[in-house]
Amino acid sequence: MLAVAAALMLFVLCSVIFNYVVLRWAAATEHPLLQKIVLADQRAEASRTQEKLQGHLSAMAVRLGELQAQTERLDALSTRLAKTVGLAAKEMPLAEAGQGGAESALPTRSFNAAELGTLIDGLTQEITVQSDRLNILEGLLVEDSANRRFLPSLLPVDTSWRSSDYGYRIDPFTGMRAFHEGIDFSALPGTPVVAAASGKVINAETHSQYGKLVEIDHGNGLVTRYAHNSELLVNKGDLVVRGQAVATVGSTGRSTGPHLHFEVRLNGVTQNPARFLKTTGKSPVL
């Protein structure tokens, strides 16, 4: 048994030595058969590596496509938001994302596919969150814009001259102290009078004191009056939009000269129109 074991060990040792010597000799002499075997193994390994790389590249291409779609969506949202706040797209205050700093003294290397995939995943998630936030902001701005359309904040006539403010004054007919329930804007006869906000015309007639009068209901108890006009351009029941011409300046009714008498009423109670007009930033009543 010892002889058999010794012979077996000797055989294995000789085989190992023989294979080693043959491989070293084949490698040294570049034996064609060995080269084919090594080349086939290298090709198989390269093929497996190529498949893995292609898989990573395909996944990254999908991620980049998603990022591109999200970016286009954000661009569209930015355009809509710019229109909502009254800016042209080129006027949007978008600053370039500048970066800088000294060159690092630490060793650098290129990102591998896994690291790039992680970065793209994080960027995709961040863009999605920002897109959702912009959608919410757009909804709020649209709602606010719609609400503002029904607030009488637009100057009803293109003039910078007021002949009388809201509040107590000397009545031009009696000379007595009397309360003036609106603002008088002096303007040339025929100057267009526009709706200060969108709404429904609830009155368009000739009044004994207001002369040719237009009243517009803006909802929520808000009503505006446009008095002493020379001509009415709307009828009772008409729907008007903010900035639409509803009459022309005149001097009808209890009036001393061509002007627009503008009133704002909330639930039937007169309000100072300046409280609403000043929201435009261009009202002469400030």
Side-chain angles (χ1 to χ4, degrees):
M1 290 179 64
L2 291 176
V4 172
L8 183 60
M9 292 180 61
L10 181 62
F11 175 77
V12 172
L13 181 60
C14 290
S15 298
V16 171
I17 294 174
F18 176 78
N19 289 332
Y20 176 76
V21 172
V22 169
L23 291 175
R24 288 294 300 272
W25 171 78
T29 58
E30 298 183 356
H31 194 276
L33 179 60
L34 181 61
Q35 292 297 321
K36 289 181 179 180
I37 295 174
V38 173
L39 184 59
D41 184 65
Q42 290 177 347
R43 286 177 177 174
E45 182 64 26
S47 178
R48 290 191 294 269
T49 303
Q50 182 66 25
E51 290 179 359
K52 292 182 180 179
L53 181 60
Q54 188 62 42
H56 287 305
L57 290 177
S58 297
M60 292 174 66
V62 172
R63 292 296 188 184
L64 288 175
E66 293 175 352
L67 287 177
Q68 184 178 7
Q70 293 282 9
T71 301
E72 292 176 355
R73 183 185 178 192
L74 290 178
D75 289 341
L77 276 175
S78 298
T79 301
R80 292 200 299 271
L81 289 176
K83 291 181 179 179
T84 301
V85 299
L87 291 176
K90 61 182 180 181
E91 296 176 345
M92 287 290 286
L94 299 176
E96 294 184 358
Q99 294 181 339
E103 185 177 357
S104 175
L106 300 176
T108 60
R109 64 174 177 82
S110 300
F111 288 101
N112 57 42
E115 291 171 335
L116 285 177
T118 301
L119 290 176
I120 291 177
D121 288 342
L123 185 57
T124 302
Q125 183 176 3
E126 182 178 351
I127 289 179
T128 300
V129 172
Q130 293 295 334
S131 179
D132 292 339
R133 289 176 179 173
L134 282 176
N135 276 322
I136 295 174
L137 178 59
E138 182 188 28
L140 294 176
L141 286 176
V142 169
E143 181 181 359
D144 179 67
S145 177
N147 290 335
R148 284 188 286 111
R149 290 179 186 274
F150 294 94
L151 285 178
S153 58
L154 181 66
L155 198 65
V157 65
D158 187 14
T159 180
S160 59
W161 176 253
R162 290 173 293 127
S163 55
S164 187
D165 286 328
Y166 177 85
Y168 282 99
R169 68 172 183 176
I170 298 175
D171 189 287
F173 290 94
T174 65
M176 305 294 289
R177 184 174 183 267
F179 192 84
H180 187 230
E181 296 183 336
I183 295 178
D184 289 342
F185 295 97
S186 292
L188 294 176
T191 301
V193 175
V194 301
S198 301
K200 181 179 180 180
V201 178
I202 58 175
N203 194 6
E205 62 181 10
T206 300
H207 190 275
S208 60
Q209 297 196 39
Y210 286 111
K212 292 186 177 181
L213 171 70
V214 174
E215 285 186 295
I216 301 177
D217 185 356
H218 307 287
N220 297 319
L222 273 175
V223 174
T224 52
R225 284 182 176 178
Y226 311 80
H228 308 304
N229 303 290
S230 61
E231 182 182 3
L232 303 181
L233 304 180
V234 293
N235 299 308
K236 183 178 180 179
D238 288 350
L239 297 178
V240 296
V241 297
R242 175 185 172 93
Q244 178 180 334
V246 296
T248 56
V249 172
S251 184
T252 58
R254 191 171 182 267
S255 170
T256 61
H259 72 286
L260 170 68
H261 174 82
F262 177 65
E263 289 185 15
V264 177
R265 292 177 176 265
L266 178 62
N267 297 322
V269 180
T270 60
Q271 306 291 318
N272 187 351
R275 294 175 49 196
F276 300 90
L277 294 177
K278 67 182 180 181
T279 61
T280 65
K282 56 180 290 187
S283 171
V285 301
L286 297 180

